[in-house]
Amino acid sequence: QLQLQESGPGLVKPSETLSLTCTVSGGSISSNNYYWGWIRQPPGKGPEWIGSIYYSGSTYYNPSLKSRVTISVDTSKNQFSLKLSSVTAADTAVYYCARHPLGRTVYYFDYWGQGTLVTVSS
Amino acid sequence: DIVMTQSPDSLAVSLGERATINCKSSQSLFYSSNNENYLAWYQQKPGQPPELLIYWASTRESGVPDRFSGSGSGTDFTLTISSLQAEDVAVYYCQQYYTTPPSFGGGTKVEIK
């Protein structure tokens, strides 16, 4: 059974960089058929896609966040990571990692991690 | 970007009764090259991640009870729970994947009357 687990600091200061890692178990991140993505959900709101990466390193980013986002992959550790720079209180959210099939666009998300709450505050 | 609008924001349904959730997209999600609507539905219970229920507008994910069904095409879609069970209390989201970035609706909260 595929499992994804987010890890990283739960509190980040304004203007600093948020860094999270997703560890995949029960399957290989190097699958030919799937991308691996980050999604966030502010309290009481709907989810927002941040970006996705293929095991080869190919990335897609949400244009609204692109200037501040970097997603990377480490196939040797079966992990992928998120960095979001210059954070503000508006970046406070539960951050999820998830998997989606490879397709014409960023498809639906069929496996999700449990999520980690990141609060931006001094 | 495509905007997804769900209605109602919340609804209360008696156990065993039908629940209907609507989702409207700001542009068509139908791709004529493969005759598919690029629309998914998720269920999210408190403190849990969203769980995929339906994709391609009407295909149930493995393990999803058949009381959940999806319908619609183009810009108007519906998620129906044919006989509401206590464990179906949750927030439901639609998501389009016709274009990147994918986008989600604002959610519909389903409660027991």
Side-chain angles (χ1 to χ4, degrees):
Chain A
Q1 174 76 349
L2 189 72
Q3 292 186 321
L4 293 81
Q5 179 67 58
E6 305 88 352
S7 58
L11 181 64
V12 181
K13 290 182 168 55
S15 79
E16 295 189 345
T17 296
L18 178 160
S19 296
L20 296 173
T21 294
C22 181
T23 300
V24 178
S25 58
S28 174
I29 203 169
S30 299
S31 167
N32 287 333
N33 300 318
Y34 296 99
Y35 265 76
W36 306 90
W38 289 98
I39 299 155
R40 68 181 184 179
Q41 186 172 27
K45 294 187 178 181
E48 177 186 32
W49 174 73
I50 299 170
S52 298
I53 192 164
Y54 195 53
Y55 75 93
S56 64
S58 174
T59 53
Y60 288 104
Y61 295 136
N62 192 324
S64 68
L65 297 167
K66 187 175 183 177
S67 64
R68 300 194 290 131
V69 174
T70 302
I71 297 175
S72 58
V73 65
D74 186 338
T75 55
S76 68
K77 295 182 179 179
N78 230 30
Q79 294 177 336
F80 62 106
S81 298
L82 168 70
K83 291 188 185 298
L84 180 66
S85 64
S86 304
V87 297
T88 69
D91 295 309
T92 293
V94 175
Y95 284 75
Y96 296 100
C97 56
R99 185 186 83 166
H100 64 86
L102 178 66
R104 181 178 70 83
T105 62
V106 176
Y107 275 13
Y108 49 85
F109 302 93
D110 59 357
Y111 281 91
W112 297 63
Q114 284 300 305
T116 187
L117 175 62
V118 178
T119 301
V120 179
S121 175
S122 56
Chain B
D1 294 3
I2 295 178
V3 177
M4 305 300 291
T5 303
Q6 289 183 232
S7 62
D9 292 335
S10 64
L11 74 160
V13 177
S14 299
L15 288 173
E17 295 299 307
R18 180 184 300 260
T20 301
I21 300 168
N22 301 302
C23 176
K24 189 174 184 66
S25 58
S26 60
Q27 69 182 74
S28 177
L29 305 184
F30 180 73
Y31 191 53
S32 56
S33 295
N34 60 3
N35 280 331
E36 294 284 9
N37 285 282
Y38 283 54
L39 190 282
W41 288 97
Y42 299 84
Q43 176 192 67
Q44 186 175 32
K45 297 179 180 179
Q48 296 186 21
E51 178 183 344
L52 179 67
L53 294 176
I54 287 168
Y55 54 97
W56 299 124
S58 60
T59 301
R60 263 189 306 275
E61 173 72 326
S62 176
V64 173
D66 60 6
R67 63 180 181 274
F68 292 93
S69 64
S71 62
S73 184
T75 61
D76 293 282
F77 301 89
T78 300
L79 175 69
T80 301
I81 309 173
S82 61
S83 176
L84 191 74
Q85 305 300 303
E87 60 265 32
D88 301 335
V89 169
V91 178
Y92 292 83
Y93 293 97
C94 59
Q95 177 226 329
Q96 69 80 20
Y97 50 99
Y98 185 84
T99 62
T100 299
S103 49
F104 294 80
T108 295
K109 187 175 185 178
V110 174
E111 300 172 309
I112 304 295
K113 186 187 291 183

